[in-house]
Amino acid sequence: MKYHLAIDIGASSGRHILGYIDNGKMILEEVYRFDNIQILKDGHDCWDIDELIKHVIAGIAECKKIGKIPSTMGIDTWGVDYVLLDGEGNRISDAVAYRDSRTKGMKEELEKLLPFEKLYEKTGIQYQPYNTIYQLMANKKEHPEQIEKAERLLMIPEYLNYILTGVMMNEYTNASTSALLNAEEKTWDKEILSVIGIPEKIFGELNLPTTVVGGFCDKVKEEVGFDCQVILPATHDTGSAFMAVPAKNDTSVYISSGTWSLLGVENSEPITSKISMDANFSNEGGFDYRFRYLKNIMGLWMIQSIRRELNGQAYVKNKSQVKESEKKYSFAELEAAARACSNFPSVIDVDKEEFLAPASMIDAVKAECEKTGQRVPCEIGEIMQCVYVSLAKKYAKSIKELEGITGKTYTCIHVVGGGSRDGYLSELTKRETGLPVFTGPIEGTALGNLMSQFIKDGEFDGLLSARGAIYDSFDIKEV
């Protein structure tokens, strides 16, 4: 059997999933899973990048232990975050996490140099306070010596690839999340880089999914016990997740449901009009230069945060202070609590910055209800119902905006990713949108990662044929 390995790392956890083709069906097998916990370092929320490297290598080694050695592998992660390297390939910056507050005020700083309307016209990327462009401006302001010394910028999956192979290679889909790419030209925008004072030399040529990065370096080969060809998938996890949507026509809306809810469609060309900008939609690069026209919605982050809080777990932890606490609430129990309070009326705007990284998500929800003159939730079920219905209403509003911008009428919703298991959210989405909702596959991101490898290996002749196999391979359910 010929195996391929997807390493899919999200904001809260990562997993190594082997994939192979058996009689035309895609078969997935999870072999390793780990937590991705942020740490507080030098006053900033950071990814524990060294710990991530250890887990990446440990999961690869696990394949050897179980006797299922992959011929290719690929890594995908979240977007926007990066590290800087010097001329000797050494990391000279921390992997600061996108929820860190260092970008506060950077939008206003950039506005003095480049109006957002012009930035959007060039990049097609919605405003988010954590976009790479704002992170680099904050980086330059706090640590100008890092920018001066830097010879290369690598996004997180690109840096992990570099550790495995010794090859520095930038990838298109993840780079497109930075608000530094020209959407039409599909390359780094030199004018933007000049305006913010970041040297062009640190940005490498952009490569497309299915490009070969290289084999393992000697150190990694020794650690894991074999060699493997590292392939670029769509290294931005949403880019991979959208590949795994089993849509049969172009009137389907996609939701990649996880920590974030990424709601949108696929277009052949970017939409960078003012109406699109005002609606805060993004044109992110996808497989085969397809544009993922989508909106980032706060997503299950709110539910995850409430659960962590109830179970006595802090959002940012120093490893030395991490203590296992007894789990008081499962996700299923929180869902049941929401159902029991289905008549609770209050609705909030889930995309407010107040919910991006609050010390207490529960308090943030209560405060927003009070601020907007609505009934303040008291019980856990009321808090959960408020979040659930607010997410569903946001989906419905975003789909109406999509229809107004694209001129299309959408006929169904496909939900992929871990959030597709949340039956209550899917039911509310169907109720609020009035559209049929199809859920699955659950491991959408890892599957999309593997699809790039399958296509590279010749198992499928392209994205359409690979998508066609999804219905035969996985249980796609209608809500």
Side-chain angles (χ1 to χ4, degrees):
M1 191 65 65
K2 194 170 188 179
Y3 296 101
H4 305 271
L5 176 65
I7 303 177
D8 170 31
I9 308 175
S12 59
S13 66
R15 73 274 314 150
H16 291 56
I17 295 181
L18 285 169
Y20 60 94
I21 305 297
D22 187 11
N23 291 323
K25 292 186 178 181
M26 303 173 182
I27 310 296
L28 307 185
E29 177 186 350
E30 183 179 303
V31 296
Y32 189 84
R33 180 175 284 264
F34 57 95
D35 290 332
N36 183 17
I37 298 175
Q38 293 176 31
I39 57 174
L40 193 62
K41 188 175 180 183
D42 297 329
H44 292 292
D45 299 344
C46 297
W47 302 108
D48 193 343
I49 194 73
D50 293 322
E51 193 71 11
L52 280 180
I53 291 168
K54 290 178 185 177
H55 281 299
V56 165
I57 292 174
I60 295 170
E62 188 66 24
C63 298
K64 175 72 178 292
K65 290 178 185 177
I66 64 175
K68 297 180 178 180
I69 296 176
S71 59
T72 68
M73 60 150 286
I75 300 176
D76 68 78
T77 76
W78 62 96
V80 304
D81 292 343
Y82 64 89
V83 293
L84 298 173
L85 287 76
D86 64 17
E88 296 179 351
N90 299 313
R91 192 172 74 237
I92 58 173
S93 73
D94 292 323
V96 179
Y98 60 84
R99 292 188 192 275
D100 184 75
S101 61
R102 68 173 175 168
T103 58
K104 187 174 182 180
M106 289 301 107
K107 182 186 181 186
E108 291 73 20
E109 291 289 326
L110 182 57
E111 194 72 21
K112 299 172 188 176
L113 306 170
L114 182 69
F116 182 74
E117 188 167 350
K118 184 173 181 182
L119 178 68
Y120 187 86
E121 186 179 314
K122 279 174 160 289
T123 68
I125 297 299
Q126 71 180 119
Y127 168 70
Q128 295 285 7
Y130 48 73
N131 286 344
T132 313
I133 189 170
Y134 302 121
Q135 292 201 46
L136 280 169
M137 291 178 65
N139 197 156
K140 183 181 178 184
K141 187 174 184 178
E142 183 179 11
H143 291 293
E145 76 284 357
Q146 292 180 358
I147 301 296
E148 291 171 8
K149 193 177 179 181
E151 291 292 330
R152 198 61 185 269
L153 177 146
L154 295 177
M155 307 295 264
I156 298 300
E158 298 165 352
Y159 179 67
L160 296 174
N161 284 342
Y162 167 62
I163 294 298
L164 294 178
T165 66
V167 178
M168 297 184 191
M169 185 177 287
N170 294 116
E171 188 269 329
Y172 168 67
T173 68
N174 211 330
S176 75
T177 69
S178 66
L180 297 169
L181 258 62
N182 186 292
E184 290 285 354
E185 297 176 5
K186 304 176 182 67
T187 58
W188 304 108
D189 192 294
K190 294 181 180 181
E191 181 185 354
I192 294 174
L193 297 177
S194 176
V195 164
I196 64 174
I198 302 297
E200 292 178 29
K201 67 179 181 179
I202 69 174
F203 300 94
E205 178 185 349
L206 295 177
N207 296 274
L208 293 175
T210 72
T211 301
V212 176
V213 181
F216 290 158
C217 63
D218 291 341
K219 181 182 177 183
V220 172
K221 279 191 285 189
E222 186 176 337
E223 287 188 71
V224 303
F226 64 93
D227 195 7
C228 182
Q229 193 174 59
V230 178
I231 304 289
L232 291 179
T235 64
H236 184 220
D237 51 11
T238 312
S240 279
F242 266 46
M243 289 177 66
V245 175
K248 292 184 175 179
N249 55 55
D250 63 357
T251 60
S252 302
V253 173
Y254 306 171
I255 301 178
S256 174
S257 182
T259 299
W260 289 91
S261 293
L262 294 314
L263 182 152
V265 295
E266 285 184 317
N267 293 328
S268 58
E269 299 293 336
I271 301 175
T272 59
S273 61
K274 188 175 186 306
I275 186 174
S276 177
M277 179 190 76
D278 290 341
N280 213 28
F281 275 86
S282 250
N283 296 266
E284 295 177 356
F287 190 86
D288 277 347
Y289 285 129
R290 295 164 180 258
F291 284 92
R292 292 175 280 123
Y293 188 62
L294 56 79
K295 178 175 286 192
N296 286 321
I297 298 171
M298 199 65 73
L300 301 186
W301 161 251
M302 299 184 75
I303 296 171
Q304 294 163 352
S305 297
I306 291 169
R307 179 172 178 263
R308 276 194 294 267
E309 190 174 339
L310 292 172
N311 293 342
Q313 298 169 306
Y315 159 53
V316 177
K317 301 175 179 177
N318 288 311
K319 285 192 294 183
S320 61
Q321 298 173 342
V322 173
K323 294 181 180 179
E324 287 296 324
S325 60
E326 182 181 349
K327 300 289 191 295
K328 299 175 184 176
Y329 288 90
S330 66
F331 288 115
E333 288 169 334
L334 292 177
E335 180 183 333
R339 287 180 183 273
C341 295
S342 60
N343 292 325
F344 186 77
S346 300
V347 176
I348 55 177
D349 181 355
V350 295
D351 283 339
K352 284 200 167 184
E353 287 192 27
E354 286 86 342
F355 304 122
L356 187 62
S360 166
M361 186 65 77
I362 292 173
D363 288 347
V365 170
K366 289 181 176 180
E368 184 62 19
C369 288
E370 184 174 16
K371 179 181 175 182
T372 53
Q374 302 181 83
R375 181 175 157 189
V376 177
C378 297
E379 302 175 11
I380 295 303
E382 292 176 342
I383 293 167
M384 294 308 302
Q385 173 64 14
C386 178
V387 171
Y388 267 112
V389 77
S390 297
L391 284 169
K393 285 183 178 293
K394 189 72 172 186
Y395 298 162
K397 180 175 182 289
S398 298
I399 291 171
K400 287 297 182 186
E401 290 172 335
L402 262 178
E403 290 182 331
I405 294 168
T406 65
K408 289 185 177 180
T409 299
Y410 295 102
T411 58
C412 68
I413 301 170
H414 281 276
V415 184
V416 299
S420 66
R421 288 177 292 197
D422 195 316
Y424 189 45
L425 183 55
S426 294
E427 290 170 23
L428 289 174
T429 300
K430 179 180 180 179
R431 186 188 80 185
E432 295 298 329
T433 63
L435 297 175
V437 174
F438 298 89
T439 61
I442 294 169
E443 290 289 0
T445 305
L447 176 57
N449 182 325
L450 287 165
M451 287 164 68
S452 288
Q453 299 180 58
F454 292 150
I455 292 168
K456 175 65 177 177
D457 202 46
E459 298 279 6
F460 300 99
D461 60 13
L463 182 58
L464 292 180
S465 62
R467 276 180 172 162
I470 292 175
Y471 273 97
D472 296 328
S473 305
F474 303 96
D475 186 17
I476 311 300
K477 298 178 180 177
E478 183 174 2
V479 176

